[in-house]
Amino acid sequence: MSDARIRPMTVDDVPRAERVTAIGFHELDSRMSPRSWPDPELRPPRRSAGWIARTEHLLGTDPGGSWVAEVDDEILGVVVSFVREKLWLLASYAVVPHAQGLGLGKALLAPALDHGRGCLRGMLNASNDPRAVRRYHEAGFRLYPQMLLRGLPDRSRLPVVEHVREGTESDFDLMDSLDRRTRGAAHGVDHHQLIRQFRLLVTERSSGQGYAYVDNGVALLAASDKRAASRLLWEALASSDGEVLSGHLTPENSWAVDVGLAARLELHHDGYAGLRHLKPPAPYIPHGALM
Ligand SMILES: CC(C)(COP(=O)(O)OP(=O)(O)OC[C@H]1O[C@@H](n2cnc3c(N)ncnc32)[C@H](O)[C@@H]1OP(=O)(O)O)[C@@H](O)C(=O)NCCC(=O)NCCS
């Protein structure tokens, strides 16, 4: 696509960029993902609003991390990346279906990777799209298959969960240290974004600590040990309402598979963790975009 212009994303671009990712992922999900719900809607309004708020937040913290590909004033592709404590992270990456496979994705990823120059370590959630996988492999990422739990928890199987409480901003220091221990870099300012969107659970005992953002499943979890992590996941299931979806589980997090299957959820495989100079974090469930 020689007439495409790759330029930094601006705040004004964000609503149109959101549509590009919604269309790109909807087409992919209908092709190959167990993640898609029976709902034919492109992306539910609440999730669109979440994408927009998160991307505005990332444009504020990392103005050089997000780029768009434009042809005749039409945005055909987007990439959103950011850096936390020398860890480069990819939040979103999509090209509209009719322009895929023509090199736009490669041209977009280059300046985003350049935003992370100086970071040896990198982390992303790769979709099932073989085109995406080619790009990440070329950029030096090792790919680890991930699993996903979904379904209605069998309430008769839920244990009584103890030592889990609501979290607040006063827990952020503990949470940042759990992030550093598991994924090697704190979420820092991203916790302020996440707490606006999700319920925060914390477990804090002398024998083990952890936290989880939950919303009918786990949106992000980090813990010092499997027992603390399992307590949080059980509480997430107990407090869920309707179908649960919890993805991004590497085999290193088989404690989550143990809990999910005990609750009689379905197990599927879905996508890859893409990691560069980083071992698969555990006990850890990354957020889909903020990782
Ligand atoms: C992933 C995505 C952003 C890449 O953008 P793109 O413009 O399609 O990417 P490019 O054209 O630069 O590169 C695609 C690569 O896959 C190859 N490819 C194209 N069609 C393919 C197919 N059907 N199967 C396997 N490989 C294919 C291309 O040859 C190219 O590899 P190469 O450069 O080594 O030759 C885009 O395809 C997309 O939006 N996919 C759906 C959403 C998604 O999965 N996003 C990633 C989130 S993790």
Side-chain angles (χ1 to χ4, degrees):
M1 273 220 160
S2 53
D3 49 348
R5 187 163 78 102
I6 308 293
R7 62 161 177 84
M9 187 187 294
T10 67
V11 173
D12 290 345
D13 295 323
V14 172
R16 283 195 294 156
E18 188 277 329
R19 287 295 83 191
V20 168
T21 64
I23 294 163
F25 278 101
H26 187 261
E27 191 272 339
L28 174 72
D29 283 355
S30 57
R31 253 192 295 147
M32 54 202 322
S33 175
R35 181 171 287 276
S36 57
W37 298 97
D39 188 350
E41 199 176 3
L42 201 55
R43 181 185 271 159
R46 196 167 74 98
R47 286 194 48 217
S48 293
W51 195 97
I52 288 173
R54 187 169 61 238
T55 304
E56 287 173 353
H57 159 74
L58 294 176
L59 281 180
T61 63
D62 292 67
S66 298
W67 298 78
V68 298
E70 200 173 52
V71 176
D72 297 334
D73 289 336
E74 190 189 350
I75 295 178
L76 297 184
V78 305
V79 65
V80 181
S81 75
F82 60 112
V83 171
R84 296 288 176 266
E85 299 183 346
K86 294 288 175 199
L87 172 66
W88 180 83
L89 301 128
L90 184 69
S92 201
Y93 180 41
V95 167
V96 291
H98 71 265
Q100 288 173 8
L102 303 175
L104 276 189
K106 183 172 181 142
L108 274 167
L109 195 57
L113 287 166
D114 192 53
H115 177 64
R117 69 189 173 281
C119 303
L120 278 180
R121 292 170 299 137
M123 188 174 181
L124 55 84
N125 279 316
S127 67
N128 290 314
D129 193 336
R131 300 177 185 94
V133 171
R134 286 197 70 77
R135 294 277 65 91
Y136 303 146
H137 184 260
E138 186 187 62
F141 284 81
R142 188 170 284 181
L143 297 156
Y144 300 83
Q146 295 189 130
M147 294 166 278
L148 169 151
L149 291 162
R150 67 177 294 178
L152 271 179
D154 180 342
R155 300 214 157 255
S156 69
R157 312 273 172 149
L158 300 181
V160 175
V161 183
E162 290 180 312
H163 310 296
V164 175
R165 60 169 172 81
E166 301 297 319
T168 69
E169 295 195 357
S170 65
D171 294 304
F172 285 179
D173 283 346
L174 167 69
M175 293 158 64
D176 279 339
S177 64
L178 288 163
D179 293 337
R180 289 194 185 100
R181 181 177 164 144
T182 46
R183 70 165 200 176
H187 282 84
V189 288
D190 301 332
H191 282 305
H192 293 273
Q193 185 64 31
L194 288 157
I195 202 170
R196 272 186 228 129
Q197 199 184 346
F198 300 106
R199 180 176 170 220
L200 174 61
L201 301 175
V202 170
T203 183
E204 198 179 6
R205 306 197 73 199
S206 53
S207 54
Q209 301 81 34
Y211 76 86
Y213 289 102
V214 304
D215 179 18
N216 270 7
V218 167
L220 166 64
L221 180 152
S224 62
D225 63 286
K226 292 177 198 169
R227 287 182 67 180
S230 302
R231 281 200 295 278
L232 291 161
L233 180 51
W234 276 120
E235 176 55 30
L237 298 184
S239 60
S240 63
D241 176 22
E243 279 236 42
V244 161
L245 181 70
S246 238
H248 312 302
L249 308 173
T250 56
E252 286 71 13
N253 287 286
S254 55
W255 59 271
V257 173
D258 295 343
V259 169
L261 292 184
R264 303 201 66 83
L265 297 179
E266 293 173 14
L267 184 69
H268 297 269
H269 38 96
D270 184 35
Y272 305 84
L275 301 171
R276 201 175 61 188
H277 293 292
L278 194 66
K279 286 194 194 129
Y284 192 77
I285 301 177
H287 180 262
L290 294 177
M291 304 298 301

